[in-house]
Amino acid sequence: HRLLLRLVLPDGAENVATALECIDMLLVRRREYKTETAAAFVKRLLLVTPHLPPHCGLATLACARDLIQRYPGTQQLLDSTEDRTMTATYAVEEDAPDKCNALSSSAWELVALSAHYHPVVASSATAAAAGERLSLVDKPARLMREFDASDGGFNPPIRLPAKHPLASKVAKGKTHIVIPKPPLTASRMVRASEAEVADKQDVGAGRKMLFAQYAREATRFALQSELLALRRTLARHAEWRAARKPAAAAANGSGGKAKATATKRKRGGGGGGGEPRAKA
C-alpha cells in the first residue's frame, strides 16, 4: 500500500505489473483481509491511475474494479458522500491501509477518468462508476499487453474523421459554398455596442499614454536645456578668469618695481643727510 505511490515516478511504470500481481495474490486469491483494507487499496490504485501511461492505467483500473467485485462492502465507494453518514475523514497520506479510513471517501477519481483522452480508459472508468462487472477477459496483464504503446503511436489507432458530403464536389470544383452572414439580432447588437465601447476605452487609454509620454519627453528636454545653459555659463566664466590672470600678473610686476625704486631713493637720501651732520 505504501509502495503504490512510487508507481507515478518516471521509472515506476516498469513495476506496475509486479505490483498488480502482488495485489492479486494478496487480496484477490486470498480473501483474508477486511473490507477497509481492500477499500484502501482501491483508493490508492485509483489515485495513481491518472498519472500512469494509458496501458498501465487500464491495468490498475481493472485491478481496482476486481477488488470492488471481490469485496462487496467496498461498493459504497461508488456512492455519493452526501448520501452517507461518515464519522471519520479519509487520510490519503496514511500508509497503513487499515487506519486511513478509505470507506469515508468516494471513488471520485472515476469521474475524472471518464474524461480521459484515451477512449478505452474513459469507457472503463464510466463502466466502473456505473457499477458494471468486469469481464473475465479484462485482466490487468492482458490489458497492459494489448494496449501497450511504448513503441510509439496510439493504441488503438485514431480513426480518421468521415469525409464531408460536399468534399468531393468541392474538390472537383462543381460547387461554390457561400456561408451567409447571420442576421443582426438584439444580442449581436449588444455585443457590437460593447465592442465599440471597449474600442473607445482603448483609444482613450492610448491617448493618455501618449500624453504622459509627451510630458516626460518635454520635462527631459527642459532639463537638458538648463544643463546646457549652465555648462555654457561655466565655460565663459572659466575663459574670463583665464584671460584675467596675465593682466593681473603684469600689474603686480610693475607695481613691485616702482615700490622697490622708491625704497632705494628713500634710503639714499637719508644717508646723504647724515654725513654733513657727522662733519659738523
Side-chain angles (χ1 to χ4, degrees):
H1 182 265
R2 177 175 57 87
L3 298 178
L4 285 177
L5 292 178
R6 297 187 180 183
L7 297 180
V8 301
L9 297 176
D11 56 347
E14 301 175 357
N15 304 319
V16 171
T18 304
L20 297 182
E21 186 177 357
C22 294
I23 294 175
D24 182 73
M25 296 179 62
L26 183 66
L27 296 173
V28 178
R29 300 180 187 179
R30 298 172 54 190
R31 298 176 58 182
E32 300 178 359
Y33 291 91
K34 298 180 181 180
T35 304
E36 291 80 2
T37 303
F41 276 91
V42 170
K43 283 292 297 180
R44 188 60 62 91
L45 287 171
L46 294 179
L47 182 64
V48 301
T49 297
H51 307 282
L52 296 175
H55 64 287
C56 297
L58 278 172
T60 55
L61 185 57
C63 184
R65 294 180 63 184
D66 198 3
L67 289 177
I68 293 175
Q69 292 180 10
R70 297 285 181 175
Y71 296 85
T74 59
Q75 292 185 0
Q76 59 179 314
L77 293 173
L78 304 179
D79 300 333
S80 176
T81 55
E82 297 178 356
D83 301 334
R84 292 182 289 159
T85 302
M86 296 175 294
T87 58
T89 304
Y90 174 55
V92 66
E93 298 179 355
E94 178 61 44
D95 293 332
D98 55 345
K99 296 181 181 180
C100 63
N101 303 318
L103 292 176
S104 300
S105 180
S106 63
W108 58 266
E109 296 87 355
L110 295 175
V111 179
L113 290 172
S114 62
H116 199 275
Y117 69 91
H118 198 281
V120 182
V121 177
S123 60
S124 180
T126 304
E132 298 180 6
R133 296 185 62 85
L134 187 68
S135 62
L136 297 177
V137 296
D138 291 339
K139 294 298 181 181
R142 190 191 70 84
L143 291 174
M144 288 189 65
R145 291 192 304 268
E146 183 177 354
F147 295 98
D148 187 10
S150 57
D151 295 336
F154 196 85
N155 192 8
I158 301 176
R159 295 181 180 180
L160 296 177
K163 291 185 178 180
H164 195 273
L166 299 177
S168 58
K169 295 183 179 180
V170 172
K172 295 179 181 179
K174 294 183 178 181
T175 182
H176 181 67
I177 300 176
V178 178
I179 302 176
K181 294 184 178 180
L184 188 61
T185 59
S187 59
R188 292 194 62 197
M189 293 177 64
V190 171
R191 288 197 297 269
S193 61
E194 292 177 353
E196 292 178 358
V197 172
D199 293 340
K200 291 181 180 179
Q201 292 178 354
D202 294 340
V203 171
R207 290 178 178 176
K208 291 181 180 179
M209 186 179 299
L210 290 176
F211 179 77
Q213 184 178 2
Y214 171 76
R216 288 195 299 268
E217 293 293 337
T219 304
R220 185 173 62 180
F221 179 76
L223 292 176
Q224 290 180 353
S225 300
E226 293 180 1
L227 181 61
L228 182 61
L230 181 60
R231 288 178 178 176
R232 290 178 178 176
T233 303
L234 292 176
R236 288 197 298 268
H237 183 68
E239 292 177 357
W240 177 77
R241 292 187 63 181
R244 187 181 176 186
K245 283 183 179 180
N252 291 335
S254 59
K257 290 180 180 180
K259 188 175 181 180
T261 304
T263 304
K264 285 182 178 181
R265 289 178 179 177
K266 187 176 181 180
R267 289 178 180 177
E275 290 179 356
R277 285 195 297 268
K279 289 180 179 181

